[in-house]
Amino acid sequence: MIWIPVIGLMLGVFIGLSFNLTVPLQYSSYLSIAILAALDTVFGGIRASLERHFDSSVFISGFFFNTLLAALLAFIGVQLGVDLYLAAVFAFGVRLFNNIAAIRRLMVTRSRKHPEKTL
Amino acid sequence: MPKKTNPRVKLIVSLSVISVILGLMLSMQYKNTRAAAKFQLDAAHVYDPRAQYTADQLNKTKETNSQYEAQLEKLKKQMFELEEKAGDIAKQESPDLKDELSKYRVMSGILPLKGEGITFTLDDSMVKDVPKDWDPELLIVHDSDLMNVTNELLIAGAEAVQINDQRISSTTGIICIGPVIKINGQKINRPYEFRAIGNKDRLEAALTLKGGVLDIFRYRTLTIQPPKKSLSVSINGYSGNFNGLSENK
């Protein structure tokens, strides 16, 4: 069942590449920061599911809220001449690493407990 | 079991939906990055024909300049050799000829000279509290001021005039090029030091005349070091060419 989201990711990439969907170049920086937020949310979701306290409404709302907040932060930063997007990069970057580290640790402990069953 | 499948299905569904969106964003950003890189690459190789043309012209001109300089060097050498010969002949045939030659050299301004004359210096105004309604142009030395002084000196019988290190020759131009003044095609800076060879009393009198050039400068609060008479004023030879004023364009 875990390959369904992977297929979803591939589907998204395929749609993005094959159809003529583009974001104007000047909004590219907002998109990049939004991607970082989205990645953070996805890994947070995976971690939460491994820790068995996954809540889909928290996950989905977190995804959109974080993504939009990051883009908004970057936008405000541009308007004020302050590199506010660095705050988003830093916060989401650190969280991304934490989440991935937590996922790794959980996987390792789990594979020790049940060597035959990994997620 | 049904209690457990529900959240698992929910997890899979929401992760899948989010993954699709994430994939979409990733691919779009990837395309943008590619486009930006391509754009930068293009921008680096933008071909500006006008800039290229100007650069070509500059290089060509530099090349011809160095060619002409070499030629000038060669011709000067030839000239001196010929003058030596001519001098020998002239000595035998007509002793006056050599004197005449040196007279014309003095007149043309190519010879460095030394003799009695005056020196003085002219500079912009240093006065702080000038009347508010004055045109600030009055407070600086212009090309026209240098011309007026030069004319005054020549009218008073100066044989040779020099401003800073530029000899005033028969083809010298004095021109304003914005912040500085160009003489003989060379930029010169304030303060302007005048040297003139001639009858020192007459030169001084011409400058310090009541209502004369220096009086007007004094009224404009320009900085003047008054003319100093001297028995040995030395003046450079003119080192430029005599192709008229074209170089002062």
Side-chain angles (χ1 to χ4, degrees):
Chain A
M1 283 265 266
I2 193 63
W3 39 265
I4 294 180
V6 177
I7 288 180
L9 188 69
M10 285 172 169
L11 181 72
V13 171
F14 174 75
I15 292 172
L17 287 181
S18 51
F19 293 92
N20 197 18
L21 288 168
T22 47
V23 170
L25 216 52
Q26 64 264 38
Y27 301 128
S28 177
S29 57
Y30 305 133
L31 185 59
S32 62
I33 212 79
I35 284 175
L36 193 59
L39 272 175
D40 167 60
T41 315
V42 166
F43 280 105
I46 294 172
R47 177 190 176 176
S49 73
L50 287 173
E51 290 173 348
R52 308 250 180 253
H53 54 75
F54 180 83
D55 186 328
S56 70
S57 46
V58 167
F59 176 64
I60 290 187
S61 69
F63 177 85
F64 290 109
F65 189 78
N66 279 350
T67 306
L68 291 177
L69 181 71
L72 184 72
L73 208 62
F75 173 75
I76 291 172
V78 168
Q79 301 305 310
L80 296 180
V82 183
D83 290 339
L84 265 183
Y85 72 92
L86 286 176
V89 168
F90 183 72
F92 289 125
V94 168
R95 275 179 47 174
L96 195 61
F97 273 97
N98 280 343
N99 282 337
I100 293 173
I103 291 168
R104 177 176 48 78
R105 253 181 276 121
L106 281 167
M107 299 275 256
V108 168
T109 32
R110 192 159 298 184
S111 66
R112 272 194 201 132
K113 274 183 193 159
H114 322 275
E116 75 287 349
K117 185 205 164 196
T118 50
L119 187 90
Chain B
M1 263 302 145
K3 245 169 79 189
K4 258 208 158 179
T5 22
N6 201 24
R8 189 157 172 81
V9 168
K10 254 179 152 177
L11 161 71
I12 298 296
V13 169
S14 50
L15 254 185
S16 304
V17 170
I18 295 302
S19 292
V20 173
I21 298 173
L22 183 62
L24 207 71
M25 282 162 72
L26 279 173
S27 56
M28 270 154 72
Q29 179 67 358
Y30 174 72
K31 275 199 287 193
N32 263 353
T33 316
R34 284 280 295 271
K38 195 164 172 289
F39 179 74
Q40 268 177 4
L41 211 70
D42 289 348
H45 292 90
V46 163
Y47 177 73
D48 185 350
R50 242 177 33 182
Q52 191 58 43
Y53 174 77
T54 315
D56 284 350
Q57 289 280 311
L58 181 65
N59 281 340
K60 240 186 241 168
T61 312
K62 274 183 181 164
E63 216 167 276
T64 35
N65 258 0
S66 60
Q67 274 174 15
Y68 280 139
E69 266 166 27
Q71 207 177 335
L72 181 69
E73 211 53 40
K74 227 167 85 185
L75 288 174
K76 263 187 184 164
K77 230 184 220 170
Q78 262 180 32
M79 189 181 80
F80 284 130
E81 278 169 22
L82 288 173
E83 273 175 4
E84 282 296 309
K85 262 191 218 163
D88 293 344
I89 298 167
K91 239 182 215 163
Q92 295 160 9
E93 304 217 338
S94 135
D96 296 342
L97 212 59
K98 209 170 185 185
D99 293 343
E100 202 135 316
L101 181 64
S102 62
K103 193 178 99 189
Y104 288 134
R105 275 178 169 174
V106 170
M107 281 170 71
S108 68
I110 57 171
L111 275 189
L113 295 179
K114 200 167 190 181
E116 75 161 270
I118 60 164
T119 60
F120 72 100
T121 308
L122 194 60
D123 200 351
D124 296 343
S125 172
M126 304 291 166
V127 178
K128 291 272 179 276
D129 52 345
V130 293
K132 278 264 165 19
D133 57 338
W134 273 29
D135 190 342
E137 282 190 15
L138 288 173
L139 305 177
I140 55 173
V141 179
H142 295 276
D143 52 334
S144 56
D145 299 330
L146 301 191
M147 279 189 249
N148 285 342
V149 175
T150 308
N151 284 344
E152 205 66 46
L153 289 168
L154 291 174
I155 290 164
E159 288 167 44
V161 178
Q162 179 181 329
I163 305 176
N164 287 3
D165 55 353
Q166 291 303 319
R167 171 75 175 270
I168 307 295
S169 79
S170 53
T171 57
T172 291
I174 300 177
I175 194 168
C176 169
I177 52 158
V180 291
I181 293 172
K182 220 171 176 183
I183 300 181
N184 289 337
Q186 304 293 319
K187 291 170 190 166
I188 66 166
N189 247 327
R190 55 165 283 267
Y192 304 100
E193 192 205 3
F194 279 83
R195 294 155 168 268
I197 289 177
N199 184 320
K200 57 186 191 309
D201 297 317
R202 212 193 306 163
L203 291 177
E204 195 208 16
L207 288 178
T208 53
L209 207 67
K210 269 258 176 281
V213 273
L214 290 193
D215 252 8
I216 295 170
F217 292 160
R218 211 162 278 138
Y219 176 72
R220 280 165 53 189
T221 70
L222 299 182
T223 310
I224 304 162
Q225 277 174 24
K228 260 189 288 191
K229 292 187 254 186
S230 167
L231 281 176
S232 65
V233 175
S234 49
I235 283 186
N236 291 343
Y238 172 59
S239 53
N241 60 37
F242 283 101
N243 290 343
L245 300 178
S246 56
E247 62 172 341
N248 284 323
K249 262 177 199 162

